[in-house]
Amino acid sequence: MITVVGTGTGAPLPPDAGAALAGAGLVVGGRRHLAAATTIPDTAERVVLGPLAPALDAIEQFLEKPADQGRVVVLASGDPGFFGIVRALAERFGAERLEVHPGVSSVATAFARLGLTWDDAVVVSAHGRDLRTAVNVCRAHPKVAVLTGPGSGPAELGAALRSSGRVLVVASALGAGAGSGATSDAGSGSGSGAAASNAGATSGTGSPSTSNAGATSGTGSGAGTGTRSGTGSTPGLSTGTAPDSGSVPHSGERERVERVTPAEAAVRDWGPAVSVVLCLDESRVLSPVRTVAGPPSGPAQWALEEGEFTHRDSMITKFEVRALALARLGPRLGEHVWDIGAGSGSVAVECARLGAAVTAVEKTLDGVERVRANAAAHGVDVTAVHGAAPTVLSDLPDPDAVFIGGGGRELPAIVTACARRARRSVVVAMAALDRVPAVRDALVAAGLDCDGVLLQSSRLAPLPGDVTRLAATNPVFLLWGVRPPVRSEGAAQ
């Protein structure tokens, strides 16, 4: 058997975990975990957990020894089954060979310090992963917990969320000096000593005790130039593992829980002891009672009727067009979508309802206000940017997908600029036949696989005498370009 013990956040080891540690023949853990474990027998082998693969090899070799050599004990942070080392151990040795003693996770502890529930929170790991996913989740949801890592700490997160209207709560050294009072700095965030770290394992490359890079203002994916809109009460892996970092605090650290703005976080040097960062829209941290934890379930309907949106002179993407556009855009949690020439913002709002972070670009001021009003009415966050594409696009973080619903003579240049930066797909709606060839050429020139349709629909319309006719809508061309998968040695990646 392999005994996995979660430590940290000030809670003592349970008696059975302590007994397992006393009978250990091999103990694997970070330096801080090993130093804090006072009951390890002098005869036990110790392996400092750095890169994960050598540690797993050492465990396998020890398991081949006679049983009387003692048992294997792995010391981990917080709850090792929550973005922790349990996944890698189960994959290598089988879940049936694990005996797990979980500690309290850093996420649970941080929300407890604030007196908040977290069944409605979205938890995302930035440890050993691209920060942009965490940034997009923070922009789209009102209550998010981010497990940080080197280069993905409070400073980088703050730099990317400067204009988001969110508040960051940085929880450092959770459990240090437990019972003697944690510090809570509300607002200014001018105190010193708050920090960032993640202890745990990333399959193949992770290390158990890693600190985030110092404050690096401007790194990460920038937050754009717009303002967040929407104030409704919206209801809330790879085989690599990211740590739950509520682990044994660094020597001399005191627990700190600090509220700061993203701009304040961006210019701080947070040091090596951050446990977790909470990103909150403080006007929406309390949600209705939940049945399912985590992100809210998707909307019951999409491609909503035009009447669900405020719009001007029928200048709105019709629901038939929106339905296919959404299917080709594929908006989802953790991704970023641009809506260019947003008009009413109907596509932007629909993408946000499906979980994506959304930036809507609109060149008219009244259009920008209309986008914000529609986002608020549907209880979602949409960043509305006033300006003309393609000029304004250079200030925005890269998108995963782009919808283009306007552009006039500038349409080919807009499509070119969007297609060069979109990570996955670009969808273009247009009524003019003459613009189709140039748009198609722009998509293909950017290396996208292009396809499209002419949508012509007829809707049921009443006539006098309780009879019905078909009323034709204007035909619309919908072209889309999809970035082909990268291929390595003949296999799609």
Side-chain angles (χ1 to χ4, degrees), residues 403-420:
F403 177 77
I404 304 172
R409 292 190 178 92
E410 293 293 321
L411 185 58
I414 294 171
V415 172
T416 296
C418 293
R420 286 174 177 170

PDB file of all heavy atoms in Angstrom, residues 403-420:
ATOM      1  N   PHE A 403     -16.304  36.137 -34.075  1.00  0.00           N
ATOM      2  CA  PHE A 403     -17.466  36.336 -34.936  1.00  0.00           C
ATOM      3  C   PHE A 403     -17.387  37.744 -35.511  1.00  0.00           C
ATOM      4  O   PHE A 403     -17.183  38.720 -34.768  1.00  0.00           O
ATOM      5  CB  PHE A 403     -18.778  36.176 -34.170  1.00  0.00           C
ATOM      6  CG  PHE A 403     -19.997  36.445 -35.019  1.00  0.00           C
ATOM      7  CD1 PHE A 403     -20.443  35.498 -35.925  1.00  0.00           C
ATOM      8  CD2 PHE A 403     -20.672  37.650 -34.930  1.00  0.00           C
ATOM      9  CE1 PHE A 403     -21.557  35.741 -36.731  1.00  0.00           C
ATOM     10  CE2 PHE A 403     -21.790  37.903 -35.724  1.00  0.00           C
ATOM     11  CZ  PHE A 403     -22.234  36.939 -36.631  1.00  0.00           C
ATOM     12  N   ILE A 404     -17.557  37.865 -36.812  1.00  0.00           N
ATOM     13  CA  ILE A 404     -17.531  39.159 -37.488  1.00  0.00           C
ATOM     14  C   ILE A 404     -18.873  39.372 -38.146  1.00  0.00           C
ATOM     15  O   ILE A 404     -19.261  38.634 -39.059  1.00  0.00           O
ATOM     16  CB  ILE A 404     -16.401  39.233 -38.529  1.00  0.00           C
ATOM     17  CG1 ILE A 404     -15.048  38.918 -37.877  1.00  0.00           C
ATOM     18  CG2 ILE A 404     -16.356  40.607 -39.190  1.00  0.00           C
ATOM     19  CD1 ILE A 404     -13.910  38.770 -38.872  1.00  0.00           C
ATOM     20  N   GLY A 405     -19.593  40.371 -37.675  1.00  0.00           N
ATOM     21  CA  GLY A 405     -20.925  40.630 -38.202  1.00  0.00           C
ATOM     22  C   GLY A 405     -21.048  41.961 -38.898  1.00  0.00           C
ATOM     23  O   GLY A 405     -22.134  42.373 -39.299  1.00  0.00           O
ATOM     24  N   GLY A 406     -19.947  42.663 -39.028  1.00  0.00           N
ATOM     25  CA  GLY A 406     -19.969  43.969 -39.694  1.00  0.00           C
ATOM     26  C   GLY A 406     -18.567  44.327 -40.124  1.00  0.00           C
ATOM     27  O   GLY A 406     -17.597  43.680 -39.727  1.00  0.00           O
ATOM     28  N   GLY A 407     -18.445  45.376 -40.945  1.00  0.00           N
ATOM     29  CA  GLY A 407     -17.114  45.785 -41.371  1.00  0.00           C
ATOM     30  C   GLY A 407     -17.093  46.626 -42.630  1.00  0.00           C
ATOM     31  O   GLY A 407     -16.140  47.357 -42.868  1.00  0.00           O
ATOM     32  N   GLY A 408     -18.135  46.522 -43.458  1.00  0.00           N
ATOM     33  CA  GLY A 408     -18.178  47.333 -44.670  1.00  0.00           C
ATOM     34  C   GLY A 408     -16.994  47.073 -45.570  1.00  0.00           C
ATOM     35  O   GLY A 408     -16.561  45.936 -45.751  1.00  0.00           O
ATOM     36  N   ARG A 409     -16.446  48.163 -46.131  1.00  0.00           N
ATOM     37  CA  ARG A 409     -15.307  48.007 -47.043  1.00  0.00           C
ATOM     38  C   ARG A 409     -14.067  47.479 -46.343  1.00  0.00           C
ATOM     39  O   ARG A 409     -13.158  46.957 -46.990  1.00  0.00           O
ATOM     40  CB  ARG A 409     -14.997  49.357 -47.705  1.00  0.00           C
ATOM     41  CG  ARG A 409     -16.075  49.839 -48.676  1.00  0.00           C
ATOM     42  CD  ARG A 409     -15.585  51.054 -49.460  1.00  0.00           C
ATOM     43  NE  ARG A 409     -16.566  51.495 -50.426  1.00  0.00           N
ATOM     44  CZ  ARG A 409     -17.482  52.419 -50.185  1.00  0.00           C
ATOM     45  NH1 ARG A 409     -17.545  52.979 -48.980  1.00  0.00           N
ATOM     46  NH2 ARG A 409     -18.344  52.777 -51.124  1.00  0.00           N
ATOM     47  N   GLU A 410     -14.004  47.647 -45.028  1.00  0.00           N
ATOM     48  CA  GLU A 410     -12.840  47.183 -44.275  1.00  0.00           C
ATOM     49  C   GLU A 410     -12.916  45.685 -43.956  1.00  0.00           C
ATOM     50  O   GLU A 410     -12.004  45.140 -43.329  1.00  0.00           O
ATOM     51  CB  GLU A 410     -12.727  47.954 -42.955  1.00  0.00           C
ATOM     52  CG  GLU A 410     -12.411  49.422 -43.100  1.00  0.00           C
ATOM     53  CD  GLU A 410     -11.008  49.638 -43.646  1.00  0.00           C
ATOM     54  OE1 GLU A 410     -10.093  48.888 -43.250  1.00  0.00           O
ATOM     55  OE2 GLU A 410     -10.835  50.556 -44.468  1.00  0.00           O
ATOM     56  N   LEU A 411     -13.974  45.014 -44.400  1.00  0.00           N
ATOM     57  CA  LEU A 411     -14.184  43.625 -43.992  1.00  0.00           C
ATOM     58  C   LEU A 411     -12.998  42.699 -44.307  1.00  0.00           C
ATOM     59  O   LEU A 411     -12.568  41.940 -43.427  1.00  0.00           O
ATOM     60  CB  LEU A 411     -15.473  43.084 -44.616  1.00  0.00           C
ATOM     61  CG  LEU A 411     -15.877  41.669 -44.181  1.00  0.00           C
ATOM     62  CD1 LEU A 411     -16.057  41.590 -42.670  1.00  0.00           C
ATOM     63  CD2 LEU A 411     -17.164  41.240 -44.889  1.00  0.00           C
ATOM     64  N   PRO A 412     -12.424  42.726 -45.512  1.00  0.00           N
ATOM     65  CA  PRO A 412     -11.290  41.826 -45.762  1.00  0.00           C
ATOM     66  C   PRO A 412     -10.112  42.070 -44.809  1.00  0.00           C
ATOM     67  O   PRO A 412      -9.484  41.118 -44.336  1.00  0.00           O
ATOM     68  CB  PRO A 412     -10.907  42.126 -47.213  1.00  0.00           C
ATOM     69  CG  PRO A 412     -12.170  42.639 -47.836  1.00  0.00           C
ATOM     70  CD  PRO A 412     -12.838  43.433 -46.748  1.00  0.00           C
ATOM     71  N   ALA A 413      -9.821  43.337 -44.517  1.00  0.00           N
ATOM     72  CA  ALA A 413      -8.725  43.656 -43.597  1.00  0.00           C
ATOM     73  C   ALA A 413      -9.051  43.195 -42.183  1.00  0.00           C
ATOM     74  O   ALA A 413      -8.173  42.701 -41.457  1.00  0.00           O
ATOM     75  CB  ALA A 413      -8.444  45.169 -43.608  1.00  0.00           C
ATOM     76  N   ILE A 414     -10.308  43.333 -41.791  1.00  0.00           N
ATOM     77  CA  ILE A 414     -10.721  42.867 -40.458  1.00  0.00           C
ATOM     78  C   ILE A 414     -10.601  41.354 -40.364  1.00  0.00           C
ATOM     79  O   ILE A 414     -10.090  40.810 -39.380  1.00  0.00           O
ATOM     80  CB  ILE A 414     -12.165  43.324 -40.158  1.00  0.00           C
ATOM     81  CG1 ILE A 414     -12.233  44.845 -40.045  1.00  0.00           C
ATOM     82  CG2 ILE A 414     -12.678  42.672 -38.875  1.00  0.00           C
ATOM     83  CD1 ILE A 414     -13.651  45.396 -39.971  1.00  0.00           C
ATOM     84  N   VAL A 415     -11.067  40.656 -41.394  1.00  0.00           N
ATOM     85  CA  VAL A 415     -10.987  39.187 -41.392  1.00  0.00           C
ATOM     86  C   VAL A 415      -9.531  38.743 -41.339  1.00  0.00           C
ATOM     87  O   VAL A 415      -9.177  37.809 -40.598  1.00  0.00           O
ATOM     88  CB  VAL A 415     -11.689  38.614 -42.633  1.00  0.00           C
ATOM     89  CG1 VAL A 415     -11.450  37.108 -42.740  1.00  0.00           C
ATOM     90  CG2 VAL A 415     -13.184  38.907 -42.575  1.00  0.00           C
ATOM     91  N   THR A 416      -8.673  39.401 -42.097  1.00  0.00           N
ATOM     92  CA  THR A 416      -7.244  39.053 -42.090  1.00  0.00           C
ATOM     93  C   THR A 416      -6.651  39.210 -40.697  1.00  0.00           C
ATOM     94  O   THR A 416      -5.949  38.321 -40.192  1.00  0.00           O
ATOM     95  CB  THR A 416      -6.477  39.921 -43.092  1.00  0.00           C
ATOM     96  OG1 THR A 416      -6.945  39.643 -44.416  1.00  0.00           O
ATOM     97  CG2 THR A 416      -4.982  39.646 -43.030  1.00  0.00           C
ATOM     98  N   ALA A 417      -6.931  40.350 -40.049  1.00  0.00           N
ATOM     99  CA  ALA A 417      -6.380  40.605 -38.712  1.00  0.00           C
ATOM    100  C   ALA A 417      -6.899  39.589 -37.701  1.00  0.00           C
ATOM    101  O   ALA A 417      -6.136  39.097 -36.851  1.00  0.00           O
ATOM    102  CB  ALA A 417      -6.744  42.028 -38.269  1.00  0.00           C
ATOM    103  N   CYS A 418      -8.173  39.260 -37.786  1.00  0.00           N
ATOM    104  CA  CYS A 418      -8.758  38.299 -36.842  1.00  0.00           C
ATOM    105  C   CYS A 418      -8.242  36.886 -37.094  1.00  0.00           C
ATOM    106  O   CYS A 418      -7.948  36.138 -36.155  1.00  0.00           O
ATOM    107  CB  CYS A 418     -10.279  38.327 -36.929  1.00  0.00           C
ATOM    108  SG  CYS A 418     -11.032  39.870 -36.344  1.00  0.00           S
ATOM    109  N   ALA A 419      -8.143  36.513 -38.363  1.00  0.00           N
ATOM    110  CA  ALA A 419      -7.722  35.149 -38.703  1.00  0.00           C
ATOM    111  C   ALA A 419      -6.282  34.892 -38.298  1.00  0.00           C
ATOM    112  O   ALA A 419      -5.913  33.759 -37.970  1.00  0.00           O
ATOM    113  CB  ALA A 419      -7.905  34.909 -40.192  1.00  0.00           C
ATOM    114  N   ARG A 420      -5.452  35.907 -38.305  1.00  0.00           N
ATOM    115  CA  ARG A 420      -4.057  35.736 -37.903  1.00  0.00           C
ATOM    116  C   ARG A 420      -3.924  35.467 -36.407  1.00  0.00           C
ATOM    117  O   ARG A 420      -2.988  34.818 -35.978  1.00  0.00           O
ATOM    118  CB  ARG A 420      -3.256  36.981 -38.271  1.00  0.00           C
ATOM    119  CG  ARG A 420      -2.970  37.112 -39.764  1.00  0.00           C
ATOM    120  CD  ARG A 420      -2.304  38.435 -40.078  1.00  0.00           C
ATOM    121  NE  ARG A 420      -1.967  38.536 -41.509  1.00  0.00           N
ATOM    122  CZ  ARG A 420      -1.556  39.652 -42.093  1.00  0.00           C
ATOM    123  NH1 ARG A 420      -1.429  40.771 -41.374  1.00  0.00           N
ATOM    124  NH2 ARG A 420      -1.262  39.663 -43.385  1.00  0.00           N
TER     125      ARG A 420
END
